[in-house]
Amino acid sequence: NFMLTQPHSVSESPGKTVTISCTRSSGSIASNYVQWYQQRPGSAPTILIFEDNQRPSGVPDRFSGSIDSSSNSASLTISGLRTEDEADYYCQSHENTNYWVFGGGTKLTVL
Amino acid sequence: QVQLVQSGAEVKKPGASVKISCKTSGYIFTRYYMHWVRQAPGQGLEWMGMINPSGGSTSYAQKFQGRVIMTRDTPTSTVYMDLSSLRSEDTAVYFCARAATMDYWGQGTLVAVSS
């Protein structure tokens, strides 16, 4: 079974753009959809991106998702950073009905 | 509106079992799988398994096979997660999350395992 690897932390200034990567260890990143979640301290995760690049209604278009087969990775890009974007971010995918996996999470600091 | 409301915090001794409920509303219960995900203190998210509320079929992460049972009660639109043989490493917040995309989450249930 594959793993999803994320950077432990990233930081950027307000108003800038940051990209968080999620690399699949084996098998193609394009084989199964990737989701992205935001989790603030003490709260449940909320979905930001589903099916690689789809945004649920209510999620600002500052958040976007993509996949890159050449690096076998997915990416979450947040533009126009705000202090309220400071949170943990998780990617998630699955391989079959009994293997669903999350990346280790990335702590975003907006300095 | 879609809501997933979980049962309250639990304190258990090692070796005991815990059963957490996730009561749903605002959508057709049988149309969406339900996942269970846990998060140990200061750690990331860990998938435990899922249930199809339509027929009750389940899929469990290999790590929890033999220790977890997920069930549902269709008349009350509630799913349950029963974890047995608890150990200290099972201390975590447990979440239910709807559908393949995990688009809605319960508020979480803290389970503390301590002697």
Side-chain angles (χ1 to χ4, degrees), chain A residues 22 53 57 65 82 88-89 104:
Chain A
C22 171
N53 56 18
S57 60
R82 301 179 179 181
D88 294 327
Y89 293 84

Side-chain angles (χ1 to χ4, degrees), chain A residues 37 39 44-45 47 90 97 100, chain B residues 39 47 50 59 100-102 105-106:
Chain A
Y37 305 91
Q39 186 181 34
I47 188 161
Y90 294 91
T97 57
W100 295 68
Chain B
Q39 186 171 37
W47 181 75
M50 66 182 186
S59 292
T101 56
M102 301 186 195
W105 293 63

Side-chain angles (χ1 to χ4, degrees), chain A residues 38 46-48 50 54-63, chain B residues 104:
Chain A
Q38 178 190 66
T46 60
I47 188 161
L48 287 175
F50 67 98
Q54 301 300 301
R55 237 182 354 263
S57 60
V59 173
D61 60 7
R62 301 187 297 110
F63 296 88
Chain B
Y104 289 91

Side-chain angles (χ1 to χ4, degrees), chain B residues 13-113:
Chain B
K13 293 197 181 302
S17 296
V18 68
K19 189 170 186 175
I20 302 169
S21 66
C22 171
K23 183 171 176 58
T24 74
S25 60
Y27 71 98
I28 297 174
F29 177 67
T30 52
R31 280 197 180 169
Y32 298 90
Y33 282 70
M34 190 69 75
H35 297 267
W36 287 91
V37 175
R38 77 177 187 179
Q39 186 171 37
Q43 302 302 306
L45 302 171
E46 181 176 31
W47 181 75
M48 299 181 68
M50 66 182 186
I51 182 169
N52 179 355
S54 178
S57 61
T58 54
S59 292
Y60 302 137
Q62 190 171 6
K63 175 177 179 176
F64 300 102
Q65 291 272 3
R67 270 210 311 145
V68 70
I69 299 175
M70 297 175 188
T71 57
R72 93 294 192 208
D73 181 61
T74 305
T76 61
S77 299
T78 302
V79 295
Y80 299 90
M81 193 280 296
D82 196 323
L83 187 63
S84 60
S85 302
L86 290 169
R87 34 209 187 232
S88 58
E89 309 90 88
D90 294 317
T91 293
V93 176
Y94 290 77
F95 296 99
C96 54
R98 189 189 80 154
T101 56
M102 301 186 195
D103 55 358
Y104 289 91
W105 293 63
Q107 82 276 19
T109 297
L110 174 63
V111 175
V113 183

